[in-house]
Amino acid sequence: MPRFGFVRISSVCLRTAIADPAANVAEITRVLEQLPDSDIVLFPELCVTGYTCADLFGQSRLLEAAREQAQQLAERMARRQQLIVVGLPVAVDNGLYNCAAVLFQGRVLGLVPKQYLPNYQEYYESRWFRPGAASVPAEIDWSGERVPFGVDLLFQAEDVVVGIELCEDLWVPLPPSAFQAVAGANVLLNLSASNETIGKNRYRTDLVVGQSGRCIAAYAYASAGPTESTTDLVFGGHCLIAENGVLLAESPRVGDGQGLHRDSYFITADVDVERLRNDRRKTTSFDACAAHLPRRYRTIPFALSAELSGLRRSVSGTPFIPQDNAELHRRCAEIFGVQCAALAQRVSRLPDDAPLNLGVSGGLDSTLALLVAVKMCDYLGWPRTRIRGLTMPGFGTTQATRQNALDLMEHLGVAAEVFDIRPLCCDAFRALGHRPFGIALESLSAAELQAALAHVPPHEFHDLVFENVQARIRTLLLMSRGFVIGTGDLSEAALGWSTYNADHMSMYNPNCSIPKTLVRFLVRYVAEHEFEGAARETLLKIVATPISPELLPLSAEGTSRQATEASLGSYELHDFFLYHFLRNGFSPRKILFLSQHANFTQAYSRSEIEATLRTFYRRFFANQFKRSCVPDGPKVGSVSLSPRGDWRMPSDADAQAWLDSFAP
């Protein structure tokens, strides 16, 4: 398959034979045979000899054997289009260096020495090694060739640029990987020998994940394991792969409760270099750090294969929804906290007795907005009756949603009112000279029009004036009462699924950056964790109700004949597209590719996914004019469509270039 910017990395914990380079290289070879499709394979620090050789590092025979075996390894892998990184001691002039050797297609491309040598507590590396510094020679002799040597080496295959540091280098205040990233490296590798002590694994993981985020890079870490000498220490064998602040893969380790792993093992993940490049491009402060680079870097070329088999990476079908159960409660509390704080600040500018008006339809969005308003009142010690919920049934409102709205307001203890908008709508139709679906109004009452509308066949359901009048009457009634809390969500804004200057408008909208899939998730979460009895039952009924604006006529039986997802496609798909289009800047072809590997909550055919993606692009481009004038509201996640913040786009832009790029 095409790469779509993915690079496959494996981090290995090696079964080590201490001071036996031949045995270690044989084991490295055995592991590599299990990783034929990895682009980069990373082994631990000093893995060719073992990290715990101590004063044996002063033995010429050990150093000679290490170099011989590393060269043999390179030659054995000559037919592999694979970057292999191993650790070994390298003697240069009067010094000995703890190095990473970079092997590719039978050659040693370069040697990167460790810059920061720990020499405190249990570490004594300065007893044997010298730190890599700018004063080391730029090249050394290696098996009859001149091989680049130094801390200024980067390795590049088109858009993939690899930087390397060793163990302690990451733990210092200014890690070499930070400078490598600013110099262009987007894949950072760390060969390590990190011993295991109580609680150290968490700090180590935070270091790796945090550095990947600060550097907007992939960061792979491979540590020596429990077959190193245990004379004084136990090495954990912890391997990690992170990408821009997210942990993609983690290995077992000593002390994790999963038993002992004495044989070699590895983790593999596909990192997305295209996403990293897009993120760096958007983070305009990133390149400003180049003024602080301590040196110029040399770049050594290598090559990746043209294609990648499969995808070794989890792709969430619901990227806006928290995936980690351990983080679930904290994340939901955080979302509500941001919404409540934002609404509280805006409301604080109103008179103390100003009512907070909110249209409650019995649907998901108004339910979430009402829950936020109630929680805000509770936080601030205000009576919930300051919130005035108004439910406004129209020609498409079912008895079920109307009852859900009334029950919800009763359970939450807010002031509630019902206003039937149908008579006002009839007056508006007459004033406009409009015949809804061709029906002559003349002296028809609202109830008589409702009965006549039940006979309109679904294939004739196209009357925007009929829908827009209802939406605008509702907004008129709300705004005429004072301050209005908006309810529209991020997905509706992206697709333009709102009536301009109707449900599109309010005085403040706490939902504006919450996508539909997250709205549903949050309402369900609140129902299951914060309510019991009848209130929980009502909230779960709302979650289970098919999404609909309920603007088109009901059937003769009083059931809704309008389902949003039947018109637009699944919101799960639209939110998936929205995330990767806005957050990552991906092309339609890459989004389609990711959708084939995503863990959606239901199965979708390729044709359904592609048709929905086309709908997404058409509607997104056609509806920027609505997004250019929306009420204030808080940014909650990494994606927002506020024209004052994250998204500024001309209203007359054309989607054709995106639509033309779909694979045939």
Side-chain angles (χ1 to χ4, degrees):
M1 71 174 197
R3 284 192 165 272
F4 290 110
F6 289 108
V7 177
R8 184 160 297 161
I9 302 176
S10 293
S11 292
V12 181
C13 174
L14 193 72
R15 182 181 179 92
T16 304
I18 302 162
D20 190 346
N24 290 328
V25 166
E27 181 65 6
I28 291 170
T29 303
R30 188 186 71 81
V31 171
L32 287 170
E33 289 172 353
Q34 301 174 58
L35 298 168
D37 60 353
S38 291
D39 299 306
I40 299 171
V41 184
L42 175 67
F43 289 88
E45 183 178 11
L46 293 170
C47 61
V48 172
T49 58
Y51 178 81
T52 50
C53 289
D55 285 353
L56 292 177
F57 286 125
Q59 295 290 312
S60 297
R61 181 59 200 134
L62 180 65
L63 305 182
E64 292 166 358
R67 185 180 282 218
E68 291 165 1
Q69 290 297 321
Q71 179 61 32
Q72 288 183 28
L73 176 63
E75 293 169 359
R76 286 178 200 167
M77 298 296 123
R79 296 187 178 181
R80 290 280 190 98
Q81 199 158 351
Q82 189 173 63
L83 199 72
I84 301 165
V85 184
V86 298
L88 76 161
V90 177
V92 179
D93 298 331
N94 295 325
L96 183 64
Y97 297 89
N98 179 348
C99 289
V102 181
L103 317 179
F104 182 74
Q105 291 189 327
R107 297 178 54 238
V108 177
L109 293 186
L111 294 156
V112 180
K114 187 173 184 176
Q115 296 188 48
Y116 296 95
L117 303 179
N119 215 58
Y120 52 85
Q121 295 178 321
E122 63 263 45
Y123 298 107
Y124 296 93
E125 286 191 30
S126 294
R127 179 180 175 92
W128 311 295
F129 299 108
R130 294 189 181 182
S135 59
V136 299
E139 293 181 335
I140 66 168
D141 289 320
W142 181 284
S143 299
E145 292 188 25
R146 297 292 290 174
V147 172
F149 183 92
V151 297
D152 59 343
L153 301 184
L154 300 176
F155 304 85
Q156 182 168 8
E158 298 181 358
D159 291 334
V160 180
V161 183
V162 178
I164 298 171
E165 62 187 2
L166 290 89
C167 200
E168 182 77 3
D169 289 344
L170 174 61
W171 299 66
V172 301
L174 295 174
S177 56
F179 297 113
Q180 293 165 358
V182 173
N186 46 31
V187 174
L188 304 171
L189 308 179
N190 187 311
L191 303 81
S192 183
S194 183
N195 63 308
E196 210 62 43
T197 57
I198 297 171
K200 187 176 181 180
N201 72 90
R202 182 63 190 175
Y203 184 65
R204 181 192 303 122
T205 303
D206 288 346
L207 275 178
V208 169
V209 174
Q211 188 68 350
S212 76
R214 279 186 296 276
C215 295
I216 313 181
Y219 198 108
Y221 179 96
S223 181
T227 53
E228 284 282 358
S229 173
T230 58
T231 300
D232 292 297
L233 306 173
V234 174
F235 292 85
H238 203 184
C239 296
L240 303 157
I241 301 174
E243 177 188 294
N244 198 10
V246 176
L247 185 62
L248 298 183
E250 180 177 13
S251 75
R253 59 171 180 81
V254 171
D256 63 1
Q258 300 182 44
L260 289 177
H261 301 269
R262 292 183 53 78
D263 289 329
S264 298
Y265 54 85
F266 53 83
I267 56 173
T268 299
D270 292 346
V271 300
D272 192 342
V273 171
E274 180 188 353
R275 179 186 178 187
L276 296 170
R277 186 176 66 248
N278 290 345
D279 282 349
R280 286 185 176 184
R281 189 181 296 134
K282 287 189 291 186
T283 308
T284 54
S285 57
F286 187 85
D287 287 340
C289 299
H292 304 287
L293 284 176
R295 61 183 63 86
R296 295 178 64 87
Y297 285 81
R298 292 177 285 165
T299 301
I300 300 171
F302 71 102
L304 296 174
S305 59
E307 296 191 343
L308 192 67
S309 60
L311 186 65
R312 301 286 291 276
R313 177 189 182 100
S314 176
V315 180
S316 172
T318 53
F320 290 107
I321 295 177
Q323 303 297 311
D324 185 352
N325 288 332
E327 291 287 313
L328 204 57
H329 186 75
R330 185 191 63 79
R331 184 69 64 85
C332 290
E334 190 173 30
I335 293 168
F336 275 110
V338 171
Q339 290 181 283
C340 290
L343 184 59
Q345 172 60 17
R346 178 52 57 92
V347 171
S348 72
R349 312 311 299 164
L350 302 176
D352 291 342
D353 59 349
L356 309 178
N357 299 286
L358 197 154
V360 182
S361 67
L364 285 169
D365 293 340
S366 64
T367 296
L368 179 60
L370 181 58
L371 290 170
V372 169
V374 165
K375 190 175 283 286
M376 177 203 67
C377 287
D378 292 348
Y379 283 154
L380 298 177
W382 296 344
R384 292 185 177 185
T385 51
R386 186 175 177 183
I387 302 167
R388 293 187 180 178
L390 180 61
T391 189
M392 297 167 280
F395 292 104
T397 304
T398 64
Q399 181 59 34
T401 53
R402 173 176 173 161
Q403 193 60 50
N404 284 342
L406 293 172
D407 290 345
L408 181 64
M409 290 187 284
E410 180 182 354
H411 297 322
L412 295 179
V414 303
E417 185 178 348
V418 180
F419 193 106
D420 186 344
I421 65 169
R422 293 177 300 172
L424 283 179
C425 291
C426 287
D427 291 342
F429 296 146
R430 292 188 183 97
L432 293 169
H434 182 66
R435 296 160 60 98
F437 300 96
I439 298 172
L441 290 178
E442 297 175 349
S443 60
L444 287 182
S445 67
E448 290 169 332
L449 176 58
Q450 182 83 67
L453 289 170
H455 300 290
V456 176
H459 68 270
E460 294 182 9
F461 271 11
H462 185 76
D463 190 333
L464 283 179
V465 173
F466 179 80
E467 295 186 67
N468 290 344
V469 163
Q470 292 178 82
R472 290 196 172 103
I473 289 290
R474 286 176 173 139
T475 302
L476 170 68
L477 292 171
L478 281 169
M479 288 202 166
S480 298
R481 293 164 181 248
F483 185 88
V484 176
I485 298 173
T487 63
D489 64 50
L490 180 69
S491 307
E492 292 178 342
L495 298 169
W497 196 249
S498 62
T499 300
Y500 190 85
N501 208 30
D503 51 322
H504 154 264
M505 192 51 62
S506 64
M507 279 68 172
Y508 195 80
N509 183 5
N511 285 355
C512 65
S513 64
I514 309 291
K516 187 73 77 177
T517 50
L518 184 55
V519 171
R520 186 190 295 275
F521 174 84
L522 289 171
V523 173
R524 180 186 290 113
Y525 180 86
V526 169
E528 293 174 347
H529 292 84
E530 298 192 18
F531 289 93
E532 295 179 347
R536 174 183 291 179
E537 183 180 347
T538 297
L539 287 168
L540 292 177
K541 283 181 182 177
I542 291 170
V543 169
T545 300
I547 299 168
S548 171
E550 293 194 331
L551 293 172
L552 291 176
L554 298 175
S555 68
E557 295 76 27
T559 59
S560 176
R561 294 190 286 175
Q562 184 179 23
T564 300
E565 290 176 295
S567 300
L568 298 179
S570 166
Y571 268 119
E572 182 175 53
L573 288 177
H574 281 297
D575 284 357
F576 182 84
F577 303 152
L578 176 64
Y579 180 85
H580 290 292
F581 172 68
L582 281 185
R583 172 64 182 81
N584 297 325
F586 289 159
S587 68
R589 290 189 64 205
K590 183 162 183 176
I591 293 174
L592 280 173
F593 167 75
L594 289 173
S595 70
Q596 298 298 307
H597 296 271
N599 303 313
F600 292 118
T601 61
Q602 64 184 82
Y604 301 102
S605 67
R606 167 78 185 218
S607 60
E608 182 179 6
I609 292 171
E610 183 167 336
T612 306
L613 183 56
R614 288 182 180 276
T615 298
F616 171 82
Y617 280 111
R618 290 192 186 100
R619 293 195 65 94
F620 187 89
F621 276 78
N623 286 284
Q624 177 60 31
F625 75 98
K626 294 181 182 178
R627 296 189 294 268
S628 292
C629 52
V630 292
D632 294 346
K635 178 177 180 178
V636 174
S638 60
V639 173
S640 169
L641 285 170
S642 168
R644 297 167 294 276
D646 284 46
W647 189 253
R648 304 175 192 189
M649 169 183 169
S651 296
D652 46 7
D654 200 312
Q656 200 58 48
W658 284 260
L659 295 171
D660 288 345
S661 71
F662 279 67

